[in-house]
Amino acid sequence: MSFARTRRLGGVLAVALAASAGVAATSSPSMAGPKGPLMDIQILSFNDFHGNLVGPSGSSARLVTGHALNAGGTAAVDLTYEGAGGVEYLATHLREARVGNPHTVTVAAGDIIGASPLLSAAFHDEPTIEAMNALGLEATAVGNHEFDEGYKELLRMQNGGCLPDGRDGLNHQNSCATPVEFPGAKFQFLAANVKYADKVRGNDKGKAMNKGDTILPPYWVKDFGGAKIGFIGMTLKETPSIVTQAGIAGLEFTDEVKTANALVPKLRAQGVKAIVVLVHQGGTPAVQKWTDTNSKVWDVGSTYDYTCGGGGTLAADSAILPIAANLDPQIDMIISGHTHQPY
């Protein structure tokens, strides 16, 4: 798989890929590969939405787009774009990015729910799941915050149904009291490295689960008329150290690299030639340097597209780097998150 282009869209990642099709492409191929036609495929992704259905206010709504000197020429100041954020903002960018790109898939890298504002949290994040259904999310890795209310509640987010918390009425947020039952996610949560430590019963639509089974599917495959892309979804292995223990009792979280690499042969056996890892782990950009009009160099904060278009690098201790370095070479791309940093 070759990378044709990458660009940032206000928190949405648009990546056009050329993936080899196992059969003739459904549209005219844009180029020819050594084993057949190639098809341009666009991957749209986002991460760490955290139930922010309404755009934030104040500094949280600002994107730093660049830097300039202040009026006195004595300090570097941020150039910002106001009004970013919220599900409508996100949905608009996704919709616009899909125009003219019929072979598009939309995925995420975790923390779609959890640590959410009251508008979503008061209703157990059901509004955010329904919003993700509406904007066309197809698959996401689980993040640490997907476990905030426990893994059984995460399974309800996937499968639907109400949460009988024993408090009826509009202001008591009992989801069983609503006229229409919560449908669950139309997209697929992925949890390749979250497994049952012991045999349990009734955690997946009443089905008994064995030791070592994943609580949710480990991967998801999108087939574009014979060009298959496999998405492996994982959270960071340190999740148990940053979530409430009661919510993950009976689970084990395995190493990201070993988990992903073990799935490569399984995906290849299904005819998958392009593999993407959705992992809820990330990095921190190294200090950004900005040179003013007088050729003076300043240490400044990162812009939203830093390292994508600014030539920057990640700090050497970024947790995502050893993961990337040790993944199987047949894994073509990593889509990450967790640190809320641009890189």
Side-chain angles (χ1 to χ4, degrees):
M1 179 172 63
S2 60
F3 298 85
R5 61 186 172 89
T6 61
R7 60 191 174 98
R8 294 290 294 185
L9 294 173
V12 180
L13 173 64
V15 186
L17 308 175
S20 177
V23 297
T26 55
S27 60
S28 298
S30 60
M31 62 193 84
K35 296 184 179 180
L38 295 179
M39 178 189 297
D40 285 336
I41 295 172
Q42 178 178 244
I43 298 177
L44 302 178
S45 75
F46 56 94
N47 56 275
D48 293 85
F49 183 76
H50 289 291
N52 281 278
L53 298 171
V54 177
S57 58
S59 60
S60 297
R62 297 173 188 159
L63 287 177
V64 178
T65 59
H67 305 284
L69 285 173
N70 63 6
T74 59
V77 296
D78 293 340
L79 301 175
T80 61
Y81 169 80
E82 306 290 334
V87 73
E88 293 175 345
Y89 182 94
L90 175 61
T92 297
H93 279 286
L94 290 171
R95 183 179 65 248
E96 291 176 350
R98 291 172 184 138
V99 174
N101 296 286
H103 303 303
T104 295
V105 59
T106 304
V107 295
D111 277 9
I112 302 306
I113 56 174
S116 305
L118 189 62
L119 178 62
S120 183
F123 301 95
H124 305 290
D125 277 321
E126 292 177 13
T128 294
I129 298 297
E130 293 177 350
M132 294 296 108
N133 289 343
L135 62 74
L137 180 62
E138 296 175 75
T140 181
V142 296
N144 55 288
H145 279 288
E146 264 80 20
F147 294 91
D148 281 355
E149 294 190 44
Y151 79 90
K152 293 181 181 179
E153 175 66 354
L154 171 57
L155 295 180
R156 188 179 75 88
M157 293 291 99
Q158 179 71 80
N159 299 322
C162 68
L163 180 65
D165 56 10
R167 297 176 296 168
D168 293 327
L170 177 63
N171 295 321
H172 291 289
Q173 301 88 45
N174 182 357
S175 66
C176 296
T178 57
V180 179
E181 188 173 90
F182 172 58
K186 295 180 181 178
F187 56 93
Q188 183 63 62
F189 281 103
L190 303 173
N193 66 334
V194 186
K195 302 176 180 180
Y196 292 108
D198 297 292
K199 184 173 182 178
V200 296
R201 294 186 178 277
N203 282 328
D204 186 7
K205 298 182 180 179
K207 182 174 62 176
M209 306 301 292
N210 295 315
K211 176 181 172 63
D213 288 346
T214 56
I215 66 168
L216 288 157
Y219 59 82
W220 175 75
V221 176
K222 178 82 171 184
D223 189 344
F224 293 91
K228 296 180 179 180
I229 299 183
F231 294 89
I232 299 170
M234 302 181 290
T235 186
L236 68 160
K237 65 182 178 183
E238 292 86 5
T239 291
S241 67
I242 52 177
V243 301
T244 302
Q245 294 303 297
I248 59 169
L251 302 182
E252 59 180 357
F253 292 75
T254 59
D255 180 78
E256 304 97 334
V257 171
K258 292 179 179 178
T259 299
N261 288 350
L263 290 171
V264 169
K266 296 182 180 180
L267 288 168
R268 297 283 291 183
Q270 298 178 40
V272 174
K273 300 292 182 63
I275 302 175
V276 178
V277 164
L278 308 173
V279 58
H280 192 70
Q281 180 58 285
T284 303
V287 175
Q288 183 177 359
K289 305 288 185 179
W290 174 71
T291 304
D292 66 22
T293 53
N294 298 317
S295 299
K296 183 176 180 179
V297 179
W298 302 79
D299 289 346
V300 292
S302 299
T303 56
Y304 80 98
D305 61 348
Y306 182 54
T307 73
C308 298
T313 60
L314 281 174
D317 61 351
S318 293
I320 195 64
L321 292 178
I323 294 175
N326 291 291
L327 286 175
D328 190 302
Q330 294 183 86
I331 293 173
D332 302 281
M333 178 182 291
I334 300 170
I335 295 174
S336 62
H338 184 54
T339 55
H340 298 207
Q341 296 290 319
Y343 57 85

